[in-house]
């Protein structure tokens, strides 16, 4: 990569100075004179109930109250907070069965925290006090906290559109028998020498991003609805708000504020409908809605928990013959990503190993939990926990080294990926496994720990993953980019891609600078205003650099093509006859490839174009008139997944059940690390969330479906002192479809720690845990149940 | 125009609701938490002086003071506030001799109000108090308040670049002998039966816009300079600030705030350099600078006053044989529009009448007044005052009706306009004169008033003008427009054109709606952010609708072309074979011209393009992928001036000298009135400023060059009760170059009242006044001098 000027360099991240100096404006920081404050009244005492009576009378009289609105004051159009109903091919959307089952304010509470009505007041305190004075009478309904409970024949129905409370199953129109399958699964199992099989449960994990959801909206006097939000999906939220409120999209403006972390919980609408409804109730006034941490926790979408069953059949030589799996997700109170996670989970499974036959059934059932939606990994951590443990169980039985088994059986270049018909173009997973094993001392330590004795036991585990670079072909990826060349050869890049802190804006700016041959500092990314950017699906599916980066490249190449065309005219005035293909754009110049001394400055072409300088003697223009603007509306034709292997070393205290994560090596098949520090940052952050997922994090509910740990005090994440010594290894084998060869990294790092840690514990104490998180209590209980001594 | 859907209709102006409800955000309304306030310390006691000593010590210690900056703390790069040095062809710019002679803070005070240093403080009051505590010692210099004074051989030199303090004369390289001339002027005068000749003085008039200049700037921690300003020229100010502070243009962002009137005083930089310098002194902090009315008055550019001499030779049948003119403008303290007004004045003169020979000498001299720059009419009112009075003097002598003379001798279609080589394509001036005379009862009243007696005398006057629609070919006009089509067939129009209240954004939105065949309400104009809009020269020269409108049309036509192309694919799926030229875009559809029943919705083409919906059966896309975005970088090849005739009836009280304006009829050759109410609004406003120009408005200075009337209290403008009964007549003869045939109106209305009123006074009392404004004092003095009795 040494020929690159900025690609591969750790240039200063474009957002970093503003963030560390406190200048970055998060939604909560924004203040507009005369601003009102909104407070949503939520059902806090029931997970499932009907609203019998709403009484605003006392609250209405309280000082500072401007207006109180409930279900009767807002549109009763239903909506879907997620992305899938918009972005999947129209006919396919109908087949998938995505529905709109959510309302701004509800009369049928489907989870604790559901929104009932809202107060608009002149101060935050007044809004809170009035909200507390609103009287809501409920008729409690049974709280269904598992798929089994809500699937029971006599259960209350969440929506008539989904009988039996089954939100989703693979659609028969695409998958006969509602199964994703290849090969003859039953025949393959019949040939198996043995099977491994188990039932698993992966817990409900919260994104726990630093910035709680926060919004400001204003319905302007000219009929424009303006909303400030830290959404990951500005264009889709713009579209959805326009439809919800019956406005043309050009009358809905989204200002994307600085995002203090998203991880999927800002993927789609969250508090925008309520906030905008409040704003529309007080035209001309700004209304600010700041979620408390508890509100964020109770109402914004989290990871799907679920019941996962899997069976794998093997030959005694380790050959995997068949996989049979049924994954049942707990949907929570609303549909949202009902189809998405259940669908993709099958994909991650299908894309991992060379197995002759596969059958996957994916379903989702409504439950009275906070809705499950998108969360970094989007079903892949769940798959990893199940599949990778069963593989290690088989390896242990066969006496095969788990690394060697994976090197032999992982899917590779040319194999179909997570969706049939999209083969892998590149795959460096073998190198990931080999280099990772080497780095952590796999063989030596595994051999050493096999002989250890005493109550403190160490173990090493590995897991691998394939992820995705965008959602092709399930969702239609699309990013529009406009590149405006100013007269001084500085550049504006207009693109709606979202940077949640992952560094994608920096990477996109590097891509623009590299493609245009201009200094990084001369490029400015304009990304946050829905008025001026074209379509972009939003930040999901680890797609920003892979898809958005190609859009930026394509728009920059459009600029370069125009520069080459115009340079021919400039050269002609110098009596040099060239055609565009003889020229290259580099180092701020358009120059003749074979004779780089002959060059025209980009700034000269640009300024002549804008000011169209005319020679007063001849009356002729000194170049080609018109400002150069490049444009690309890029829809990728492919999806090049990244691969990775995670190695974890743990130490288990068999007397306390405590697990210490000692060391981690993460290897990642990145294609090209455009900004290596950001890539490593993603891997480090993924590790932190992955370790929490497997060891400490779970949203707990009481028997009535009320949350027991809705704050950072009660919800244990991995903190700095919990984190292991860790090392990241980047494998750069350029992918032909990614920008400068890059594949994704955003979610990938969060996928593998769950399986690798579980396998390390298995290696340490010989026990597999099927129900996460693997807490000290569960470890002690299992040691006791199995009567083990150390 | 009946076939149009929105063109010619008085749709609600896009800015009007926000303005009347108080939601419009002027720069002064903007508030950012933690904002600092800046106060510029100005020289108030001298019009010409050198700064000997600057002492911040006492001020520095005052409470609330953050920083004080002077000349040593800022760049010493010189700059030019105006537009011409950027926009004229490069080589021509050198020929014209435009210079940069202004600094952020000066040590050589060139006019009262010149900026010396500035205080940044935490409150406005603290800034003001500290500013008052700064000690500045001056060495006074003589104040030169006329061209004659500063041209004197022993006068202090304003800049070594302009010896003799002559800022400008017509450049010899383009105009041999520094004269714009055609024909043999001396020979023509020799053939004349008689000449009229006189010396005139047109006073210094202030734009007196409602909103004083106001700014906010912030130098962000990522090295971007952001400035909020109500400039008329955002792109040029962006360019100039970038050069001044040595930043790439993409690191300078201009937010154009709502403009509370401009009339030329916001054409170019005013307080942006000082405000940005303050912001750069306190990185990360917002700094707000609000000009007082007095500061606005003393420092922002006003109309050029000057000494104007003209001689016209006639045959006894009224044939004009030759014009000789020397116009000497008072430049004020800095160069700014030094070349512009002196240059164009010759143009207005050249473009008016069919005269066989012409000689024009235009010059500017520095004076110790507030700099003269752009003001509605840009030299044309001065020309009108001089030329039209001399014409009427000749008509009176010849006994020819002034309307008939003008009908006979005004330039017409095919004649060269104000610049040789740009012929008039349309000209409805004859109709303007005929219909205006009819409407005001010209013949009847003139006949009647000819017989009047007594001290109260009525009179009717007429004057005519040619103006301009953009500054072609003197300045290179250019507007870039991007039109983004959303998936619901709503549209964003990104264009940097400035609406100062004249209604141009509404007109541009109408042009977009009409061209796209979409409802007016579905279009949104995004205009105020320099990041997302391409180049636009700015609001000057009455060019916005004529040039910007064509840019918007062209970008919309680009959208339509793409729609037609794509519709062919949609039709093909319906087994209908068509080509783009068979199709038209109208009423939200693309339809077959010969069979309009066959139509595809624009929204369908747009949404398929964005979401690229694929038929799951065939796997084929249902249309063409990609978001449609139209683009135009439009440089007009022409300039189609509007023409107009103004008829004024006055009543002169010969005992008090008072002039009452009784009635006015304004006729305007508009080409097409896109928004008739806005056109009339411009004409009404122009009348108000024109009447003030001729009768009441003048900036007065004492003998030391200090201003005597720097507030609305002391400066008499025409108020509502002073205004006459008035009528506007719009002549719509479509121009082939204007959008939907439109020509300009912005400045035109302010040109003719000056000549028409002077001529009405001449008609009423038989006296011509060569020195404006024509105050009661001047009238009484003249009546007395000439010994007239009534």
């Amino acid at each position: 990569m040494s020929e690159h000027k900025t690609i591969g360099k750790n240039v200063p991240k474009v957002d970093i100075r503003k963030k560390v100096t406190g200048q970055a404006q998060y939604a909560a920081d924004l203040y507009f004179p005369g601003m009102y404050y909104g407070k949503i009244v939520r059902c806090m005492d029931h997970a499932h109930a009907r609203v019998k009576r709403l009484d605003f009378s006392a609250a209405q009289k309280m000082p500072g109250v401007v207006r109180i609105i409930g279900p009767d004051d807002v549109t009763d159009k239903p909506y879907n907070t997620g992305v899938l109903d918009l972005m999947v091919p129209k006919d396919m959307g109908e087949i998938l069965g995505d529905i709109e089952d959510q309302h701004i304010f509800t009369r049928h509470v489907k989870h604790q925290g559901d929104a009932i009505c809202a107060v608009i007041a002149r101060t935050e305190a007044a809004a809170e006090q009035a909200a507390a004075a609103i009287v809501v009478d409920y008729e409690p309904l049974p709280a269904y906290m598992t798929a089994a409970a809500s699937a029971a024949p006599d259960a209350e129905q969440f929506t008539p559109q989904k009988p039996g409370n089954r939100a989703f199953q693979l659609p028969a129109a695409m998958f006969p028998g509602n199964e994703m399958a290849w090969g003859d699964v039953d025949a393959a199992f019949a040939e198996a020498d043995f099977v491994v099989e188990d039932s698993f449960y992966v817990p409900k994990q919260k994104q726990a991003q630093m910035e709680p959801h926060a919004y400001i909206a204003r319905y302007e006097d000219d009929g424009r609805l303006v909303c400030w939000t830290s959404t990951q999906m500005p264009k889709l939220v713009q579209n959805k708000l326009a439809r919800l409120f019956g406005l043309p999209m050009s009358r809905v403006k989204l200002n994307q504020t600085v995002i203090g972390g998203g991880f999927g919980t800002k993927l789609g609408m969250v508090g925008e409908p309520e906030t905008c409804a409040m704003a529309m109730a007080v035209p001309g006034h700004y209304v600010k809605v700041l979620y408390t941490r508890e509100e964020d926790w109770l109402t914004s979408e989290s990871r799907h928990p679920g019941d996962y069953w899997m069976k794998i059949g093997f030959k005694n030589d380790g050959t995997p013959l068949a996989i049979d799996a049924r994954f049942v997700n707990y949907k929570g109170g609303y549909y949202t990503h009902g189809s998405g996670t259940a669908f993709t989970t099958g994909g991650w499974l299908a894309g991992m190993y060379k197995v002759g036959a596969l059958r996957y059934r994916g379903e989702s059932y409504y439950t009275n939990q906070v809705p499950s939606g998108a969360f970094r990994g989007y079903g892949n951590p769940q798959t990893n926990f199940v599949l990778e443990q069963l593989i290690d169980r088989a390896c242990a039985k066969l006496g095969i080294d788990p690394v060697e088994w994976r090197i032999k059986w992982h899917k590779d270049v040319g194999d179909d990926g997570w969706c049939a018909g999209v083969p892998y173009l590149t795959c460096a997973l073998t190198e990931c496994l080999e280099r990772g094993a080497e780095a952590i001392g796999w063989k030596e330590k595994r051999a050493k720990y096999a002989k250890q004795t005493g109550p403190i036991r160490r173990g090493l585990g590995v897991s691998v993953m394939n992820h995705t670079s965008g959602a092709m072909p399930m969702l239609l990826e699309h990013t529009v980019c406009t590149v405006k060349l100013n007269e001084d050869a500085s550049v504006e890049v207009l693109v709606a891609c979202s940077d949640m802190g992952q560094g994608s804006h920096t990477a996109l700016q590097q891509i623009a600078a590299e493609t245009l041959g201009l200094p990084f500092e001369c490029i400015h990314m304009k990304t946050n205003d829905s008025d001026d950017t074209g379509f972009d699906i939003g930040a999901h599916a680890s797609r920003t650099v892979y898809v958005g980066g190609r859009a930026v490249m394509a728009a920059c190449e459009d600029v370069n093509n125009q520069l080459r065309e115009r340079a021919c005219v400039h050269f002609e005035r110098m009596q040099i006859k060239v055609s565009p293909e003889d020229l290259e754009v580099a180092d701020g110049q358009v120059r003749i490839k074979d004779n780089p001394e002959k060059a025209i400055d980009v700034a000269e072409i640009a300024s002549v174009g804008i000011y169209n300088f005319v020679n007063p003697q001849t009356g002729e223009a000194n170049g080609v008139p018109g400002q150069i603007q490049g444009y690309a509306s890029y829809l990728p034709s492919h999806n090049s997944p990244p691969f990775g292997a995670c190695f974890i070393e743990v130490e288990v205290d068999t007397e306390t059940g405590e697990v210490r994560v000692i060391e981690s090596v993460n290897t990642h098949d990145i294609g090209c690390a455009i900004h290596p520090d950001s890539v490593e940052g993603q891997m480090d952050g993924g590790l932190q969330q992955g370790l929490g997922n497997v060891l400490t994090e779970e949203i707990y509910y009481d028997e009535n479906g009320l949350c027991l740990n809705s704050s950072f005090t009660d919800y244990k994440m991995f903190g700095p002192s919990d984190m292991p010594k860790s090392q990241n290894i980047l494998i750069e084998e350029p992918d032909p479809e990614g920008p400068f060869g890059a594949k994704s990294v955003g979610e990938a790092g969060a996928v593998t720690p769950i399986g690798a840690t579980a396998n390390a514990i298995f290696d340490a104490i010989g026990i597999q845990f099927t129900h996460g998180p693997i807490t000290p209590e569960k470890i002690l209980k299992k040691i006791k149940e199995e009567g083990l001594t150390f």
Side-chain angles (χ1 to χ4, degrees), chain A residues 53 115 162 300 331 441 448 454 459 469-470 504 608 621 624 698 777:
Chain A
R53 192 174 70 96
K162 295 291 182 182
S300 69
K331 192 64 250 104
K448 181 176 152 201
S469 297
S504 56
V608 166
V624 183
E698 178 169 16
E777 294 79 2

Side-chain angles (χ1 to χ4, degrees), chain A residues 517-531:
Chain A
L518 292 173
F520 181 76
E521 297 72 25
C522 286
I523 316 289
H524 178 250
M525 306 294 298
K526 179 78 182 337
T527 59
N528 64 334
D529 178 342
S530 68
D531 282 351

Side-chain angles (χ1 to χ4, degrees), chain A residues 35-110:
Chain A
M35 192 160 70
Y36 291 159
Y37 295 84
K39 184 75 194 168
I40 300 170
V41 175
R42 303 183 179 281
C43 174
M44 294 303 288
D45 299 331
H46 305 278
H48 200 189
R50 282 188 211 284
V51 175
K52 303 307 290 177
R53 192 174 70 96
L54 256 179
D55 184 355
F56 299 163
S57 54
Q60 193 80 67
K61 292 176 201 141
M62 293 178 69
V65 170
V66 176
R67 222 182 133 189
I68 301 177
I69 55 172
D72 293 340
D73 304 304
V74 298
T75 177
D76 62 354
K77 266 192 217 162
Y79 60 87
N80 174 319
T81 62
V83 48
L84 286 101
D85 60 320
L86 274 181
M87 283 303 295
V88 292
K90 204 185 249 168
D91 308 337
M92 191 168 156
E94 281 157 23
I95 290 170
L96 287 179
D98 286 304
I99 63 162
E100 295 175 320
D101 63 351
Q102 206 153 345
H103 291 83
I104 297 172
F105 299 121
T106 191
R107 294 183 186 284
H108 180 175
V109 172
K110 302 211 179 125

Side-chain angles (χ1 to χ4, degrees), chain A residues 186-445:
Chain A
D186 296 326
F189 274 112
E191 281 179 32
D193 293 327
F194 72 99
V195 300
V196 289
E197 175 185 356
D198 218 330
S199 292
F200 295 80
Y201 173 79
V202 181
K204 193 161 180 67
Q205 185 187 20
K206 194 75 193 90
Q207 291 87 351
Q209 78 291 351
M210 287 291 281
E211 182 205 19
H213 299 279
Y215 312 91
I216 299 174
R218 186 191 198 208
Y219 188 53
E220 303 196 344
D221 245 2
D222 59 0
R224 278 196 113 206
L225 178 63
V226 184
C227 181
W228 287 256
T229 159
S230 65
T231 182
Q232 300 175 215
M233 295 295 220
K235 287 285 160 186
L236 291 176
V237 172
Q238 181 191 17
N239 178 308
K240 291 196 165 208
L241 289 176
R243 292 198 300 162
L244 181 60
F245 293 108
L247 295 168
M249 279 181 71
S250 60
R251 302 242 89 76
V252 177
K253 176 184 169 78
L254 263 275
N255 294 305
Q256 189 187 48
T257 53
V258 178
I259 307 179
F263 309 113
T265 192
K266 295 172 180 171
L267 195 159
M269 296 201 292
V270 185
E272 292 91 347
E274 292 90 337
T275 308
C276 290
M278 288 186 239
M280 292 181 84
V282 289
H285 292 274
Y286 294 92
V287 179
K288 186 174 198 170
V289 175
L290 297 179
Y291 277 30
T292 62
R293 176 63 60 190
E294 185 178 42
E295 276 183 288
D296 180 295
W297 211 267
L298 294 181
T299 66
S300 69
E301 300 171 11
S302 66
R303 193 181 300 292
H304 285 83
D307 301 313
Y308 306 121
W309 168 84
M310 191 181 289
K311 183 169 90 168
I312 313 178
F314 291 89
K315 297 292 272 182
N316 276 334
D317 64 358
T319 305
L321 294 178
I323 296 180
D324 195 2
R326 184 181 176 220
F327 278 26
V328 176
N329 290 305
Y330 299 180
K331 192 64 250 104
Y334 294 103
Y335 187 84
T336 75
H337 291 256
S339 56
T341 314
F343 201 101
T344 53
T345 308
W348 315 127
L349 192 56
M352 201 63 252
Y353 295 117
K354 292 171 174 165
V355 57
L358 178 135
R359 176 163 58 214
Y360 166 75
R361 284 162 291 171
E363 291 164 81
S364 299
Y365 285 84
Y366 284 110
T367 57
N368 292 115
Q369 301 169 322
V370 61
S372 298
F375 187 171
R376 199 178 198 177
Y378 206 76
N380 211 351
Q382 294 94 315
T383 311
N384 195 270
F385 187 69
V386 172
L387 175 64
E388 295 294 272
Q389 286 206 79
L390 288 182
I391 294 298
D392 268 30
R393 195 182 295 184
C395 287
K397 186 176 169 74
L398 294 165
I400 298 178
D401 180 281
V403 171
E404 281 167 17
W405 189 93
R406 287 176 171 84
I407 288 173
K408 183 161 183 186
W409 293 107
H410 75 75
K411 281 193 170 179
D412 212 329
V413 174
D415 291 326
D416 266 359
W418 64 275
C419 196
V422 185
Y424 294 147
L425 301 179
T426 51
C427 175
L429 190 47
T430 295
E431 194 178 345
C432 287
L433 281 160
E434 287 170 349
R435 288 186 56 189
E438 176 72 24
I440 203 163
W442 175 263
K443 278 197 190 331
E444 305 73 17
K445 286 183 180 170

